[in-house]
Amino acid sequence: MTCKKGGYVSFRHNALRDTEAELLKEVCRDVRTESLLLPTDEKSHPPGTNTQDQARLDVVATGLWGTFERTYFDVRVTHAGAKSNCDIPLEKLLSKNENEKRRKYSSRVINTEKSSFVPLVYSTAGSTGQECQRHHKRLAEKISIKRREQYSHVINHIRTRIRFALLKSVLIAIRGIRGKETRGTIPLSFIPFNLIPEEKTYESP
């Protein structure tokens, strides 16, 4: 799960990045992936901040927390079963990864980009960090208002979609790619969140 050979770690990361970006497009403007950050210098930020010229973050969107507020997101997937993580409780492991992301990017995003920063931390088993949970609740709230659907249906859809994206990428990392490649998925704007399966019966009326 942690071996980088074959590009499966990057595939898992990118699957979540693209899923988050698709969800954000439903209610936000100017949603972009792999956006370059503005140039900065080390003197303007605390130690540990990434000040490289070509630094970029996974997703940026405008309008999630405020009409004109821009937010940067960075995805990290951690494997709780790795040797270096075995002795750390899952909750502390997720919090530790969130703090590492904040230490690396928060100052630069706030002071140079004049935006907010949200680390999106997942475990390979499907758990999410507190910041990620808060982000999904806000996203579900805005989508439910826009689409006039129940909040519980929307948050359930978001969590299910995220977990399926993660599960698919984890299975590919374990088994490799098999079978035919899918040609795409139905756009989110065409999916009702309160889908009820049609009941079928073979009994005569």
Side-chain angles (χ1 to χ4, degrees):
M1 295 300 293
T2 57
C3 178
K4 296 183 179 180
K5 187 176 182 180
Y8 293 119
V9 171
S10 297
F11 181 86
R12 184 165 62 234
H13 168 276
N14 294 345
L16 289 170
R17 177 202 64 194
D18 295 342
T19 302
E20 290 287 359
E22 183 185 0
L23 291 167
L24 284 164
K25 286 177 181 178
E26 184 69 15
V27 290
C28 295
R29 305 182 309 280
D30 193 25
V31 179
R32 291 170 285 137
T33 58
E34 300 296 331
S35 179
L36 286 171
L37 299 177
L38 294 173
T40 188
D41 59 88
E42 295 181 0
K43 297 179 180 179
S44 304
H45 307 285
T49 301
N50 184 344
T51 56
Q52 295 180 1
D53 289 340
Q54 296 299 314
R56 62 184 71 208
L57 291 174
D58 291 320
V59 185
V60 57
T62 303
L64 181 65
W65 299 103
T67 304
F68 302 106
E69 183 177 348
R70 186 170 51 180
T71 306
Y72 283 84
F73 306 88
D74 204 50
V75 173
R76 173 176 287 185
V77 185
T78 184
H79 182 45
K83 290 184 179 180
S84 58
N85 298 331
C86 285
D87 298 330
I88 306 175
L90 181 58
E91 188 174 334
K92 289 186 177 181
L93 177 62
L94 296 171
S95 179
K96 173 177 173 287
N97 280 272
E98 285 182 338
N99 291 333
E100 288 177 359
K101 284 290 184 184
R102 288 195 200 95
R103 191 160 48 248
K104 196 172 182 180
Y105 293 109
S106 186
S107 176
R108 182 168 182 173
V109 170
I110 293 172
N111 297 312
T112 304
E113 301 289 339
K114 308 302 180 184
S115 306
S116 57
F117 174 67
V118 178
L120 302 177
V121 177
Y122 308 84
S123 76
T124 52
S127 299
T128 55
Q130 290 185 359
E131 288 287 344
C132 191
Q133 293 175 25
R134 180 168 167 259
H135 159 65
H136 287 155
K137 289 177 181 178
R138 175 62 176 172
L139 189 57
E141 179 186 354
K142 289 185 72 69
I143 292 177
S144 64
I145 294 172
K146 177 184 176 182
R147 299 276 292 270
R148 297 182 180 179
E149 301 205 38
Q150 291 187 28
Y151 170 84
S152 59
H153 294 155
V154 179
I155 191 66
N156 181 64
H157 178 89
I158 290 174
R159 289 169 177 168
T160 302
R161 199 178 185 100
I162 291 292
R163 280 166 175 76
F164 266 95
L166 182 59
L167 176 62
K168 182 179 179 180
S169 63
V170 168
L171 289 176
I172 289 175
I174 296 173
R175 300 172 65 245
I177 298 175
R178 302 180 184 181
K180 296 181 180 179
E181 184 179 355
T182 57
R183 295 186 177 181
T185 58
I186 300 174
L188 184 64
S189 56
F190 290 94
I191 300 176
F193 295 105
N194 58 340
L195 287 174
I196 301 176
E198 180 183 357
E199 294 185 4
K200 295 183 178 180
T201 178
Y202 296 96
E203 298 179 0
S204 59

